[in-house]
Amino acid sequence: MAGPAPHRYRLSDGERDEALARLRTALEEGRLDAEEHADRSGAVLEALTNTDLVPVFEDLPAACRPSALAVPGAPQPGDEHPYVPSPAAGGTAARRKEGEDSPGRHKRPHAGGLAIWGGIIFVLWGVPSISSGNTGAIFAWLFFLAVFIAPGLVVASVQAARNRNVHNRAGGGRRAIG
């Protein structure tokens, strides 16, 4: 690492977690292989001070370095443009930032979960109802299935199809190589 050395201090758990996250990003971007990532992650976990992180990050771009390696008062590379992992890396950091509770994301039924619950209800309620021949129980089970499970599956399927169409129109679909 060129330039002045960072002020030496003991690392917090949060700073170690940030350093590990930066290493994961470097792995996702292809800057590190799995073995090198494991070695460097071990060094981060054993680091006591921020200067112990210098050899771990010295051959990575400055934008990939954790804040524990920042020199106080010195302009940091990337200050004018915040570091964003490349989309080619799978965008896991971007997906993590737009989690389930982010305001831009709508809550919707999960088709797999609804199908599993529908199967459980069928095994616990539908099979005994059908095998007993009790028409009242059969109609109650069919009513429950039609009112609660089927609409959720339809909504989940329609929204998944819309998301696929929007993703493909935005150029995010798979392209042939060659």
Side-chain angles (χ1 to χ4, degrees), residues 13-120:
D13 290 340
E15 289 165 328
R16 277 189 203 86
D17 289 343
E18 178 194 1
L20 290 170
R22 295 296 179 116
L23 285 177
R24 273 191 303 275
T25 300
L27 174 69
E28 292 169 352
E29 290 179 342
R31 298 182 191 276
L32 301 174
D33 61 23
E35 184 178 335
E36 193 173 15
H37 175 263
D39 292 343
R40 291 181 187 215
S41 294
V44 167
L45 291 172
E46 292 174 3
L48 295 177
T49 66
N50 62 328
T51 55
D52 294 337
L53 298 178
V54 171
V56 175
F57 289 93
E58 69 185 347
D59 62 340
L60 294 174
C64 291
R65 295 182 188 139
S67 60
L69 295 179
V71 178
Q76 298 300 314
D79 280 349
E80 59 278 350
H81 302 291
Y83 177 69
V84 178
S86 70
T92 55
R95 281 197 304 266
R96 221 176 286 123
K97 286 181 184 176
E98 290 206 16
E100 288 294 320
D101 295 330
S102 68
R105 186 152 182 179
H106 300 288
K107 302 280 186 187
R108 64 178 185 265
H110 188 270
L114 288 170
I116 290 171
W117 277 111
I120 290 171

Side-chain angles (χ1 to χ4, degrees), residues 110-124 141 144-145 149:
H110 188 270
L114 288 170
I116 290 171
W117 277 111
I120 290 171
I121 291 169
F122 176 73
V123 168
L124 295 178
W141 175 74
F144 179 83
L145 186 68
I149 303 295

Side-chain angles (χ1 to χ4, degrees), residues 112-144:
L114 288 170
I116 290 171
W117 277 111
I120 290 171
I121 291 169
F122 176 73
V123 168
L124 295 178
W125 190 5
V127 170
S129 298
I130 292 169
S131 63
S132 73
N134 183 347
T135 57
I138 293 171
F139 284 121
W141 175 74
L142 290 173
F143 175 78
F144 179 83

